Amino acid sequence: MIKKEMIAMLLAGGQGSRLGVLTQKVAKPAVSFGGKYRIIDFPLSNCINSGVDTVGVLTQYQPLRLNAHIGIGIPWDLDRNNGGVTILPPYENIGGSDWYSGTANAIYQNLEYMKSFSPDYVLILSGDHIYKMDYEMLLDYHKANNADVTIAVMPVPIEEASRFGVVVTDGKGRITEFQEKPPEPKSNLASMGIYIFSADLLFEALTELKDVPGCDFGKHVIPYAHEHGKRIFAYEFNGYWKDVGTLQSYWEANMELIDIVPEFNLYEEFWKIYTKTETIRPQYVGAGAHIERSILGEGSEIEGKVFNSVIGDCVTIEPGAEVYDSIVMKGSVVGAGTRLYKTIVAENTRIGKNCEIGAGEYRDNAVDPRVYAAELAVIGEETVIPDGIRIGKNTAVWGVTTAADYENGELPGGGYLVKGGEKS
């Protein structure tokens, strides 16, 4: 193969358990976003916009839809004979088979793939963040500082810094200390989980740490580089970046797309976000429909009212239905007379007539308050909700449900109803 100056390794194998029922049947990077995209479209688009034409995508949990979406990389101009995009699942070798047990372990298991391109630099990315970044500028910064490792960081409120890996730098941007989710952070510069490694150091560190259980970049590889006196620099990023790993942050990121002046602009010509597209009929807006400040996907049929919402492809909003501050994903139907308030509806869901979802009093979730901790009703994909059902705030429903599943026709605030699957 042709030698590549820099290749990218895109970690896309995580379940995304904090998205609850949204990831029961799909990996987090393949979850719909913004009506027509999937989350993984953003780092893939960043790669090709930055001139990075060789990307290994590491998959593991529920990979079918993600693999089908990426295909051979045509939408991102990554269908190439030399490089392009390659799906890298766990595999069996002479020593047996291993699941990816940590971020760095996953990269280590694909050491031969990386070495086949003889790269000078390796870019490590996460598949579950929403942002636009020119990785070429990140590489230029890495070279200018003669760095061994460069970590993309961004300032966060100091009270939130304990959720992240935090770096402490000197006056020239060199990292002098790295803290992984510290209870008392010494800095507000948070790691974005985006790294450039000089290839020799990365290969050395991965080989030395190959037997460490759950080998991780933040916990093991970065400390290894620091202990061995390597030059580690922080590249401060001040653009839009969103980790959509929780239901609240996922909902917020979608809602930010429909601001009058969106902080994250999908309509820029010079930095397009690419995705797999299908041949779909045009939108249809009925004579009695009313739409305010919303995104409508192709093939959607709107007969009801939609306010401040993101509507995916081929969604049907029947007459008399009202949708407020909600996300309705591809192929779903909202029945006549139904009202949605701050609801996330996953793909191919059927909500019956005259339902009310996301209303009433907020209550703590009875099953998993770590995941469900917002005023959101969350409906998993391919769910069926019968006519006349009332579902409260901070709830989760997944599966083909019937009226008998709802006591007095209601799932109150904090409720959890899953049929046919394990607890998310």
Side-chain angles (χ1 to χ4, degrees):
M1 285 191 177
I2 296 176
K3 175 179 171 59
K4 299 289 184 177
E5 182 184 29
M6 183 168 74
I7 65 172
M9 300 294 281
L10 178 49
L11 295 159
Q15 176 183 357
S17 60
R18 291 182 299 163
L19 290 181
V21 294
L22 296 184
T23 52
Q24 286 279 14
K25 296 177 69 176
V26 63
K28 181 167 62 170
V31 171
S32 295
F33 182 83
K36 68 175 292 183
Y37 303 100
R38 298 192 184 275
I39 294 171
I40 199 168
D41 291 336
F42 294 86
L44 283 176
S45 297
N46 287 339
C47 283
I48 200 62
N49 287 333
S50 303
V52 180
D53 64 3
T54 303
V55 185
V57 180
L58 287 73
T59 63
Q60 180 159 279
Y61 173 81
Q62 296 279 21
L64 179 60
R65 194 174 307 166
L66 188 62
N67 294 354
H69 179 70
I70 295 171
I72 60 172
I74 291 173
W76 305 274
D77 190 26
L78 289 170
D79 52 325
R80 305 191 177 207
N81 292 328
N82 293 299
V85 67
T86 304
I87 303 295
L88 300 170
Y91 60 91
E92 186 171 7
N93 58 31
I94 195 168
S97 59
D98 287 309
W99 290 108
Y100 296 150
S101 62
T103 56
N105 173 263
I107 301 296
Y108 169 73
Q109 289 194 42
N110 291 282
L111 199 58
E112 293 306 313
Y113 167 81
M114 293 185 289
K115 286 183 176 180
S116 70
F117 296 101
S118 300
D120 298 316
Y121 308 99
V122 179
L123 173 65
I124 308 294
L125 303 171
S126 174
D128 53 8
H129 298 153
I130 304 298
Y131 67 109
K132 297 177 183 178
M133 179 186 285
D134 188 341
Y135 302 138
E136 188 172 12
M137 293 178 64
L138 179 61
L139 179 59
D140 288 344
Y141 179 87
H142 182 87
K143 292 177 180 177
N145 287 289
N146 193 27
D148 297 299
V149 188
T150 297
I151 303 174
V153 301
M154 67 181 303
V156 298
I158 191 67
E159 61 271 15
E160 295 182 17
S162 60
R163 296 172 43 223
F164 300 90
V166 172
V167 303
V168 179
T169 63
D170 62 18
K172 296 182 179 179
R174 185 167 181 173
I175 295 174
T176 58
E177 188 173 350
F178 187 89
Q179 300 176 290
E180 180 66 16
K181 297 182 180 179
E184 297 183 2
K186 298 180 180 180
S187 164
N188 72 330
L189 288 178
S191 169
M192 299 168 66
I194 299 169
Y195 312 98
I196 286 183
F197 281 85
S198 294
D200 290 345
L201 169 63
L202 177 64
F203 299 160
E204 171 197 318
L206 292 176
T207 302
E208 288 293 322
L209 300 170
K210 68 181 188 299
D211 295 323
V212 174
C215 190
D216 180 84
F217 280 100
K219 295 177 182 177
H220 305 110
V221 177
I222 300 301
Y224 173 91
H226 184 66
E227 290 165 7
H228 286 74
K230 302 300 182 181
R231 294 176 60 82
I232 310 175
F233 280 78
Y235 174 82
E236 188 169 335
F237 179 71
N238 290 294
Y240 181 96
W241 178 83
K242 196 86 164 186
D243 179 350
V244 289
T246 66
L247 290 167
Q248 179 69 23
S249 64
Y250 173 79
W251 177 83
E252 287 175 354
N254 275 272
M255 293 299 105
E256 286 167 353
L257 298 176
I258 55 176
D259 286 343
I260 294 173
V261 181
E263 186 178 354
F264 186 70
N265 190 347
L266 290 174
Y267 308 102
E268 293 173 334
E269 284 295 320
F270 67 90
W271 199 271
K272 293 181 179 179
I273 303 300
Y274 302 94
T275 189
K276 179 183 178 182
T277 57
E278 301 173 16
T279 302
I280 302 175
R281 64 190 182 278
Q283 303 162 350
Y284 173 77
V285 178
H290 182 90
I291 302 165
E292 292 185 12
R293 209 177 72 162
S294 296
I295 291 174
L296 302 182
E298 297 177 4
S300 55
E301 299 182 11
I302 313 297
E303 299 274 6
K305 298 180 179 179
V306 180
F307 302 89
N308 306 321
S309 294
V310 175
I311 307 298
D313 293 343
C314 301
V315 167
T316 300
I317 310 292
E318 293 185 349
E322 299 178 10
V323 179
Y324 299 89
D325 307 312
S326 296
I327 302 164
V328 184
M329 298 184 199
K330 180 179 180 179
S332 293
V333 176
V334 180
T338 285
R339 287 172 289 173
L340 306 183
Y341 305 94
K342 292 184 73 171
T343 300
I344 303 175
V345 180
E347 297 182 28
N348 300 314
T349 286
R350 172 79 199 203
I351 300 175
K353 297 177 172 57
N354 300 312
C355 297
E356 187 175 43
I357 301 179
E361 294 183 6
Y362 173 89
R363 296 178 186 173
D364 291 339
N365 188 265
V367 172
D368 197 342
R370 180 185 67 92
V371 172
Y372 304 102
E375 291 190 353
L376 297 169
V378 186
I379 314 298
E381 67 178 50
E382 299 180 357
T383 292
V384 174
I385 297 175
D387 297 345
I389 298 300
R390 178 182 169 89
I391 297 173
K393 297 177 180 179
N394 198 27
T395 50
V397 180
W398 180 53
V400 178
T401 68
T402 66
D405 296 313
Y406 301 87
E407 186 175 350
N408 299 319
E410 181 178 9
L411 181 68
Y416 185 93
L417 174 59
V418 168
K419 298 186 69 178
E422 297 296 324
K423 179 180 82 66
S424 173

